[in-house]
């Protein structure tokens, strides 16, 4: 009999692996305020600025501080929505839900209510509470902002899918007037889900639609390839090679799913017993990276096809080559697991990262060029591992944040010490200067000036507001009067009277103006005296209050230090536990790869043994009777 085909993996299992929920990267956990909102509170505007700068951590902490201090009175509802969305961004589902529930309890406006129900439904969806999520989504009205509206049907449909209600999910998607990008992801998810439920025809229609769509971005091109691959393997599972072959040929040869598409295309030909055609994609695979599972399977598929073509010598050589490659790869996997257990994995993965606290959609996009990361390619692309890396990354950023604050506390303590020393140095000189200030005398002089102005106004004493020059001229004219009269010089007497009259007329003409200027200057003097009195009082209070304030600052700084140390220790503990979880996931992935290679190795050895046994049987049958064996 012919050598048995290698166990190349259950095609349905491959399909399920490909069918993880795909989501579009266009949504955000926390959204901006409704279009047209006028920012009326400075601190709310500052939090929004940090939010738009993609610094969610600063936006969150500043918003919490502003709420605590009552500094967002005009934007309480918007601030609560932003706060809940930021909590949701960091996976704080319970806190986010509490914020939205409290907001809904306060009878908010329609716009705020719809956004709150939307976000509350999203919290429940992410926590796996799908019936509760659908109940929340059903409460969303027509006031939901345009930026959030496209995401609502997606979440509703995926909640129905999670509950196994495929027909309702399909009904929601068919009635959904959404951008093509959103619909493509939704159709893919539903198509794969229907195939899983053995509703291949219904799922195929959706997957084929995605597989034929126009794609102008790398993301949509990958989704299109993924849909074609899932549909091709679905037809292979149904043993329909004629339908599977053209679908798999639509997958790009240089895309991320090319290897699995080549493997499936070969099997489509093998199902039709066209082994020569099957060798074309399989031989192409054998020249690709052995770290890929499809390439590993091709090492068995090629000799399997050669065996069916009666090329037994070439098949034996290929099996032996596969055994050598599998053995070397198993040893490499052992070494990779040792390195991962030694703690190198996370440091390598995050070596090129900026280290800032991430937003909810942060993910590891570029892998370091190491064998370990290539072994873990599919694991690193998975949601569970990505979320784990995100959590570890955020904890590492928090640790650095706390370290920076510990250094800041040392700086603040030094600043307080410097202020204390400066205060002690300047206090004696300041005290001495203050002792020379006689505010009582200055106040008495001000009162005397005010009295003179009042009397001048009451008596209309124009001379009281004359300048020193004018007073000197007046006194000189008064002194000339008896001398002119005694001389009996009538023209001189008339001139003296004329000059005195002119001077008096000028004083009278400008009396009101001079009085207004005098009042204004007196008011300025009063303000200066009030300022001086306030400063003197402040200096006297500061003499005893400032040392107390410095002590309070020092106590607060000293109290923060152990809190930071406690938080740092808690983060270190959580990071160690998270690293353990990620290491366990990675080791399990590599161990499963080892088991797969071990299974392939057993298949290769069994196939070799079968071929040798068949060759020995044929040789024995062809020997003449009585010939020595």
């Amino acid at each position: 009999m012919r050598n048995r085909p290698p166990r190349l993996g259950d095609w349905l299992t491959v399909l399920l692996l490909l069918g993880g929920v795909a989501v579009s990267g266009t949504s955000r956990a926390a959204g901006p305020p409704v279009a047209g909102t006028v920012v009326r509170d400075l601190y709310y505007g500052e939090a929004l600025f940090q939010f738009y700068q993609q610094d969610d951590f600063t936006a969150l902490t500043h918003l919490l501080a502003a709420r605590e201090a009552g500094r967002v009175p005009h934007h309480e509802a918007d601030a609560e929505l932003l706060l809940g969305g930021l909590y949701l961004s960091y996976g704080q589902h319970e806190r986010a839900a509490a914020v939205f529930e409290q907001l809904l309890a306060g009878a908010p406006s329609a716009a705020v209510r719809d956004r709150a129900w939307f976000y509350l439904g999203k919290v429940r969806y992410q926590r796996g509470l799908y019936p509760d999520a659908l109940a929340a989504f059903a409460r969303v009205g027509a006031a939901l902002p345009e930026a959030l509206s496209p995401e609502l049907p997606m979440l509703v449909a995926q909640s129905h899918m999670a509950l196994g209600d495929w027909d309702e999910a399909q009904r929601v998607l068919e009635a959904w007037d959404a951008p093509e990008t959103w619909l493509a992801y939704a159709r893919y998810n539903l198509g794969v889900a229907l195939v899983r439920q053995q509703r291949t025809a219904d799922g195929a229609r959706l997957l084929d639609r995605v597989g034929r769509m126009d794609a102008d971005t790398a993301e949509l091109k990958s989704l299109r390839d993924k849909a074609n691959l899932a549909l091709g393997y679905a037809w292979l599972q149904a043993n329909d090679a004629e339908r599977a072959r053209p679908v798999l040929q639509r997958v790009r040869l240089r895309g991320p799913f090319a290897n699995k598409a080549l493997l499936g295309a070969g099997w489509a030909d093998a199902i039709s017993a066209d082994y020569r055609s099957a060798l074309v994609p399989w031989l192409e695979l054998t020249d690709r990276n052995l770290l890929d599972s499809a390439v590993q399977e091709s090492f068995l598929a090629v000799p399997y096809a050669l065996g069916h073509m009666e090329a037994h010598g070439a098949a034996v050589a290929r099996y032996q080559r596969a055994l050598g490659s599998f053995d070397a790869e198993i040893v490499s996997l052992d070494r990779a697991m040792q390195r991962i257990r030694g703690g190198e994995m996370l440091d390598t993965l995050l070596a090129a990262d900026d280290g800032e606290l991430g937003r909810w959609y942060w993910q590891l996009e570029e892998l370091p060029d190491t064998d370990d990361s290539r072994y873990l390619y599919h694991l690193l692309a998975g949601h569970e591992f990505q979320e784990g890396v995100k959590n570890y990354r955020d904890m590492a950023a928090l640790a650095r944040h706390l370290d920076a604050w510990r250094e800041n506390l040392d700086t603040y303590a030094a600043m307080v010490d410097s202020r204390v020393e400066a205060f002690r140095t300047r206090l004696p000189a300041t005290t001495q200067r203050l002792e020379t200030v006689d505010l009582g005398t200055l106040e008495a002089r001000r009162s005397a000036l005010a009295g003179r102005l009042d009397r001048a106004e009451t008596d209309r004493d124009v001379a009281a507001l004359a300048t020193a020059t004018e007073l000197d001229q007046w006194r000189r004219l008064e002194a000339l009067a008896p001398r002119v009269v005694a001389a009996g010089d009538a023209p001189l007497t008339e001139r003296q009277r004329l000059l005195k009259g002119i001077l008096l007329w000028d004083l009278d003409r400008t009396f009101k103006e001079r009085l207004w200027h005098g009042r204004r200057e007196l008011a300025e003097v009063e303000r200066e005296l009030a300022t001086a009195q306030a400063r003197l009082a402040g200096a006297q209070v500061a003499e005893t209050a400032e040392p107390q304030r410095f002590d309070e600052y020092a106590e607060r700084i000293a109290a923060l230090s152990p809190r930071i140390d406690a938080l740092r220790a808690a983060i270190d503990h959580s990071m160690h536990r998270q690293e353990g979880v990620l290491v366990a996931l990675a080791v399990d992935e590599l161990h499963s790869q080892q088991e797969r290679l071990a299974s392939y190795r057993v298949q290769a050895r069994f196939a070799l043994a079968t071929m040798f046994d068949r060759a020995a049987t044929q040789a024995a049958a062809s020997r003449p009777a009585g010939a020595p064996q």
Side-chain angles (χ1 to χ4, degrees):
M1 67 177 194
R2 294 188 181 275
N3 53 305
R4 62 189 292 250
R7 184 176 178 273
L8 296 178
D10 190 329
W11 292 325
L12 181 58
T13 301
V14 174
L15 178 62
L16 297 181
L17 289 175
L18 290 172
V21 174
V23 295
S24 173
T26 57
S27 71
R28 291 202 48 190
V34 178
T37 299
V38 178
V39 176
R40 300 174 59 191
D41 295 323
L42 175 63
Y43 289 91
Y44 177 65
E46 193 272 340
L48 281 180
F49 173 79
Q50 301 295 345
F51 173 79
Y52 285 121
Q53 291 295 309
Q54 302 192 10
D55 189 353
D56 283 2
F57 183 73
T58 301
L60 177 60
T61 54
H62 286 201
L63 187 60
L64 286 172
R67 287 172 67 255
E68 184 70 20
R71 291 171 173 170
V72 287
H74 299 98
H75 298 281
E76 290 184 356
D78 285 330
E80 291 298 300
L81 281 172
L82 181 58
L83 179 65
L86 289 169
Y87 278 139
L88 185 57
S89 295
Y90 282 108
Q92 301 292 318
H93 298 138
E94 293 183 2
R95 290 191 177 186
V99 170
F100 296 134
E101 289 169 357
Q102 183 177 2
L103 188 60
L104 287 167
S109 65
V112 172
R113 182 186 63 244
D114 285 353
R115 281 188 288 166
W117 279 119
F118 172 81
Y119 284 128
L120 183 59
K122 193 169 184 177
V123 170
R124 293 171 176 174
Y125 171 79
Q126 292 184 354
R127 295 175 66 187
L129 305 175
Y130 303 115
D132 294 335
L134 289 172
F137 292 142
R139 302 288 297 273
V140 177
L144 191 67
E146 185 178 353
L148 300 177
S149 296
E151 189 176 3
L152 179 60
M154 167 75 88
L155 292 171
V156 171
Q158 293 190 165
S159 297
H160 284 299
M161 281 189 267
L163 294 172
D165 191 353
W166 316 111
D167 293 331
E168 182 62 21
Q170 190 168 4
R171 186 194 66 77
V172 171
L173 295 179
E174 288 174 352
W176 186 17
D177 183 17
E180 188 62 28
T181 301
W182 288 90
L183 285 172
Y185 280 96
R187 289 169 184 149
Y188 172 81
N189 289 333
L190 182 58
V192 171
L194 290 173
V195 171
R196 288 179 178 179
Q197 299 300 311
Q198 306 302 318
R199 296 173 56 178
T200 304
D202 293 334
R205 282 193 295 272
L206 293 170
L207 291 174
D208 186 63
R209 190 170 180 180
V210 178
R212 294 178 182 273
M213 69 178 179
D214 294 329
D216 54 1
T217 66
E219 180 183 4
L220 289 179
K221 289 177 181 178
S222 293
L223 181 64
R224 183 177 61 190
D225 287 346
K226 197 173 182 181
N228 285 320
L229 187 63
L231 179 57
Y233 272 92
W235 290 130
L236 287 177
Q237 176 66 21
N239 209 35
D240 192 339
E242 294 304 317
R243 289 186 178 181
R245 188 180 295 107
V247 172
L248 291 169
Q249 289 174 349
R250 295 202 300 247
V251 178
R252 293 172 298 161
L253 285 177
R254 298 302 175 188
F257 305 103
N259 290 350
K260 286 186 174 60
L262 287 171
L263 181 67
W267 275 109
D269 291 325
I271 290 174
S272 303
D274 187 358
Y275 297 104
R276 186 175 299 278
S277 296
L279 278 176
V280 175
W282 286 347
L283 286 172
E284 166 66 21
L285 274 177
T286 58
D287 293 331
R288 298 193 175 192
N289 195 331
L290 185 60
L291 299 177
D292 190 283
S293 60
V295 176
Q296 295 168 3
E297 293 183 11
S298 72
F299 273 67
L300 298 181
V302 168
Y304 169 74
L306 291 172
H308 279 277
M309 295 169 61
E310 304 297 335
H312 299 299
V316 169
R318 285 284 180 172
Y319 277 127
Q320 290 174 338
R321 176 189 172 188
L323 285 172
S325 299
F326 294 159
D327 290 339
E329 198 65 17
I330 288 173
V331 173
S332 296
L333 285 168
D334 279 328
R335 294 171 181 168
M337 283 189 281
Q338 292 175 4
R339 289 191 294 271
I340 288 173
R341 290 190 179 103
E344 297 181 13
M345 177 180 66
L346 288 174
D347 291 340
T348 303
L349 289 178
L350 300 177
D353 188 56
D354 59 9
E356 295 296 327
L357 283 162
R359 310 197 86 165
W360 76 280
Y361 50 78
W362 179 92
Q363 62 180 0
L364 188 66
E365 295 181 348
E366 295 184 4
L367 301 181
D369 187 19
T370 64
D371 287 342
D372 295 355
S373 61
R374 291 195 294 272
Y375 283 129
L376 301 173
Y377 175 80
H378 294 292
L379 176 68
L380 296 177
H383 176 74
E384 181 181 8
F385 194 85
Q386 283 277 354
E387 287 297 308
V389 173
K390 184 191 303 182
N391 291 337
Y392 182 88
R393 175 182 181 271
D394 283 347
M395 284 188 285
L398 283 173
R400 288 190 293 271
H401 189 74
L402 290 175
D403 291 341
W405 266 103
R406 183 183 289 131
E407 294 180 3
N408 289 342
L409 289 182
D410 294 338
T411 302
Y412 295 151
M415 290 171 59
V416 171
D417 292 339
S418 299
R419 293 289 297 273
V420 169
E421 184 62 28
F423 181 80
R424 290 173 180 171
T425 302
R426 297 172 183 172
L427 182 61
T430 303
T431 303
Q432 185 178 2
R433 291 179 60 188
L434 291 176
E435 290 174 350
T436 63
V437 178
D438 188 357
L439 288 179
T441 301
L442 295 175
E443 180 63 30
R445 291 176 61 186
R446 185 210 65 81
S447 299
L449 289 172
R452 285 178 59 187
L453 282 175
D454 291 340
R455 288 191 297 272
E457 184 178 14
T458 301
D459 301 338
R460 196 172 177 80
D461 184 2
V462 297
L465 301 181
T467 64
T469 301
E470 291 170 333
L471 286 175
D472 180 63
Q473 292 173 349
W474 182 267
R475 284 193 295 270
R476 290 170 64 186
L477 289 171
E478 286 286 337
L480 282 173
R483 294 168 58 187
V484 170
V485 173
D489 187 345
L492 186 60
T493 300
E494 187 62 25
R495 287 185 63 189
Q496 185 269 343
R497 289 178 64 251
L498 179 61
L499 290 173
K500 186 177 179 181
I502 292 174
L503 182 58
L504 184 61
W505 185 84
D506 286 338
L507 290 174
D508 185 74
R509 180 178 58 84
T510 60
F511 175 75
K512 289 186 177 181
E513 180 182 354
R514 296 181 187 220
L515 182 64
W516 181 82
H517 281 292
R519 293 289 187 193
R520 188 182 67 173
E521 291 171 359
L522 183 63
E524 182 66 25
V525 170
E526 290 174 348
R527 284 193 294 270
E528 292 294 335
L529 283 173
T531 301
Q533 289 171 344
R535 289 179 178 177
L536 180 60
Q540 292 170 345
V541 171
E543 187 174 355
T544 55
E546 284 301 304
Q548 183 178 354
R549 288 180 59 198
F550 293 145
D551 291 340
E552 290 175 356
Y553 286 142
E555 290 174 0
R556 288 175 60 186
I557 292 171
L560 286 173
S561 184
R563 288 180 59 189
I564 289 178
D565 291 339
L567 289 172
R568 189 66 169 83
I571 288 177
D572 287 342
H573 177 68
S574 297
M575 286 180 65
H576 180 71
R577 291 180 57 188
Q578 186 68 18
E579 182 179 11
V581 171
L582 294 173
V583 166
L585 287 173
V587 170
D588 287 346
E589 169 66 18
L590 297 188
H591 185 65
S592 66
Q593 292 184 28
Q594 272 192 331
E595 290 182 339
R596 183 175 65 246
L597 288 170
S599 174
Y600 292 162
R601 184 171 56 183
V602 169
Q603 293 177 47
R605 287 178 175 173
F606 181 81
L608 276 174
T610 301
M611 295 182 71
F612 289 147
D613 181 68
R614 184 185 306 114
T617 301
Q618 292 175 351
S622 63
R623 282 196 301 269
Q629 300 190 9

